[in-house]
Amino acid sequence: MSGFVTSVLDQAFTHLCSCFGVEVNYVWNLEKNLAALEDTMKVLSARRADVLTTVQRQESEGLQRLNEVEVQQEVSPTPHNLL
């Protein structure tokens, strides 16, 4: 009987530690994850600016803006809204 209780407690302890390990890992890597997110936001902001520049240039040539661009501009938050 004691072997069974020990086995159950061991499994519970192992599961509990693995759950906390995942949570601790997120917190442990928080600074690294934040830096990666900030770098990605810079890249996405640059791409967004490039797309808008291309759209404005083509509009000045007489082409019309696609509805997709209009919706994307409404939906896309700026980096300042996110951070």
Side-chain angles (χ1 to χ4, degrees):
M1 182 72 171
S2 67
F4 174 74
V5 172
T6 303
S7 175
V8 170
L9 289 176
D10 186 47
Q11 288 179 356
F13 182 73
T14 302
H15 182 69
L16 186 63
C17 287
S18 69
C19 289
F20 282 124
V22 170
E23 295 296 323
V24 168
N25 195 28
Y26 286 132
V27 173
W28 186 264
N29 292 325
L30 190 58
E31 286 186 32
K32 185 172 81 173
N33 292 340
L34 180 60
L37 179 61
E38 289 172 340
D39 291 343
T40 301
M41 284 302 300
K42 289 176 188 176
V43 170
L44 289 175
S45 294
R47 286 184 186 167
R48 182 174 190 248
D50 290 344
V51 167
L52 290 177
T53 299
T54 302
V55 167
Q56 290 169 350
R57 184 177 57 241
Q58 290 181 350
E59 283 179 336
S60 71
E61 295 172 358
L63 296 174
Q64 275 190 312
R65 181 180 292 217
L66 296 175
N67 291 329
E68 181 181 350
V69 173
E70 196 67 40
V71 169
Q72 184 65 29
Q73 200 170 6
E74 292 172 6
V75 173
S76 290
T78 59
H80 303 292
N81 294 343
L82 290 176
L83 298 177

